[in-house]
Amino acid sequence: MLTIKPVVIMGATGTGKMKLSIDASKVISGEVVNADKMQIYAGLDIATNKVHLNDQYGIPHHLLGAILAITDNFPVSFFQSIATITTKSIVRHGRVPVLIGGSNSPIHGFLADHFDPSLVDPFAITRYRPTLWFQSCLLWLHAHEFVLKEYLNHRVDDMVNVDLVEELKDFFDSMSIRKLAKHTGLAKAIGVSELSEYFAGRKRLCVSIDKMKTNTHALAKAQTAKIQHITDVWGWPVCSLDATETICAHVTGSNYTAKAIAWERDVSGPALTTINEFLNS
């Protein structure tokens, strides 16, 4: 019988999940499986912060851009199905599936035993206590709220500097007004609604970018709250990793060595110790 023992990396946007997934995969012969609701769509690579091919270091990445941009919302049951097929294939090839995502609903759908597809928001049901379907290594990257907020502001500015506005303009031009008005699928990505007012000539670009930053902060806060729910209410065994010092080093412009030391000390080192103990148990 095929035994699936996934490594699952959770955390708010901007906490370093993708970097950790690649660092870990290099060591444990892993393959990354995307569990982010927006990154599963093709398109808006900058806005959805997809990892560039050159930054994947030869690690296979699955379910990135796997759905057409024109597709409406997909049910969590759909992700559960394709993620299960993907992870089974990875395990059959003698490798380790490493799931990564800030979207906690797909992660819940994949990991929960006796998953009920009728649950619209499993985090809102007080008495709901799902158990794990797989023996899983759950890692949570987190950071101090104010440090992360400052970093996310910088990241949005960096996106603007690498053609975010042009990317979103092309997206608007390729989608019908009716499709955009439905606000489903990829149209829910942060940046789409915020810049729609700018493209319509009703707001200045700086105002739209500020709104994008505000909504990114809100997303990070909501993602963190759900992971806290997973640990405190559901009682899933989660290893907590504090990325605050690493992110602070990015924000303050510290040199590469300082960032690398903080990352290895606080994040990648403890994570790899936990992962190796899990895989060898």
Side-chain angles (χ1 to χ4, degrees):
M1 183 177 178
L2 195 66
T3 300
I4 300 176
K5 294 180 64 176
V7 173
V8 182
I9 301 174
M10 303 178 291
T13 183
T15 51
K17 300 184 298 297
M18 183 56 68
K19 176 173 172 53
L20 180 58
S21 71
I22 293 172
D23 286 357
S25 293
K26 290 177 182 177
V27 177
I28 65 172
S29 297
E31 297 191 12
V32 177
V33 181
N34 169 54
D36 185 281
K37 286 188 290 188
M38 293 296 103
Q39 292 188 1
I40 200 170
Y41 291 97
L44 294 186
D45 292 356
I46 299 172
T48 61
N49 202 40
K50 290 190 184 77
V51 59
H52 192 276
L53 183 62
N54 293 339
D55 296 323
Q56 295 177 13
Y57 295 94
I59 303 297
H61 281 63
H62 304 270
L63 305 186
L64 274 175
I67 301 177
L68 292 175
I70 60 173
T71 308
D72 285 335
N73 295 339
F74 61 89
V76 173
S77 57
F78 170 76
F79 175 80
Q80 181 200 39
S81 176
I82 60 174
T84 300
I85 292 170
T86 301
T87 52
K88 285 182 177 179
S89 175
I90 292 170
V91 172
R92 287 193 186 98
H93 288 89
R95 298 176 68 85
V96 179
V98 180
L99 273 80
I100 167 180
S103 305
N104 297 298
S105 294
I107 288 175
H108 159 261
F110 175 74
L111 290 178
D113 197 3
H114 305 298
F115 169 67
D116 183 354
S118 68
L119 292 177
V120 177
D121 183 1
F123 299 95
I125 304 174
T126 305
R127 297 183 179 179
Y128 181 60
R129 301 288 191 278
T131 55
L132 288 168
W133 182 18
F134 308 108
Q135 183 184 357
S136 306
C137 179
L138 307 179
L139 304 174
W140 172 21
L141 269 71
H142 62 88
H144 190 284
E145 181 180 355
F146 296 114
V147 172
L148 181 59
K149 182 177 180 179
E150 185 65 21
Y151 171 71
L152 292 174
N153 287 340
H154 284 283
R155 193 176 75 171
V156 171
D157 289 335
D158 289 342
M159 289 178 174
V160 173
N161 292 334
V162 292
D163 298 332
L164 171 73
V165 178
E166 291 79 0
E167 179 186 74
L168 287 165
K169 183 62 168 62
D170 290 341
F171 178 73
F172 272 84
D173 291 344
S174 67
M175 302 293 281
S176 68
I177 298 298
R178 182 184 63 81
K179 196 76 175 176
L180 289 169
K182 288 175 64 179
H183 196 60
T184 60
L186 191 56
K188 295 170 69 175
I190 290 181
V192 176
S193 65
E194 292 84 354
L195 267 72
S196 63
E197 295 290 289
Y198 166 68
F199 293 131
R202 292 190 289 267
K203 286 185 179 179
R204 291 179 299 165
L205 178 59
C206 62
V207 175
S208 295
I209 296 300
D210 284 345
K211 183 64 174 177
M212 185 177 173
K213 291 177 180 178
T214 298
N215 288 344
T216 302
H217 303 155
L219 172 64
K221 191 170 184 177
Q223 290 170 328
T224 299
K226 287 184 177 180
I227 300 172
Q228 289 174 329
H229 190 93
I230 287 172
T231 61
D232 299 341
V233 179
W234 294 354
W236 287 7
V238 175
C239 173
S240 176
L241 303 164
D242 190 346
T244 300
E245 290 299 323
T246 302
I247 296 172
C248 189
H250 278 285
V251 172
T252 58
S254 298
N255 61 38
Y256 174 82
T257 301
K259 288 185 280 190
I261 290 173
W263 176 258
E264 198 282 331
R265 181 193 65 224
D266 300 335
V267 181
S268 65
L272 285 169
T273 297
T274 300
I275 292 170
N276 283 320
E277 289 176 353
F278 165 73
L279 293 176
N280 293 323
S281 62

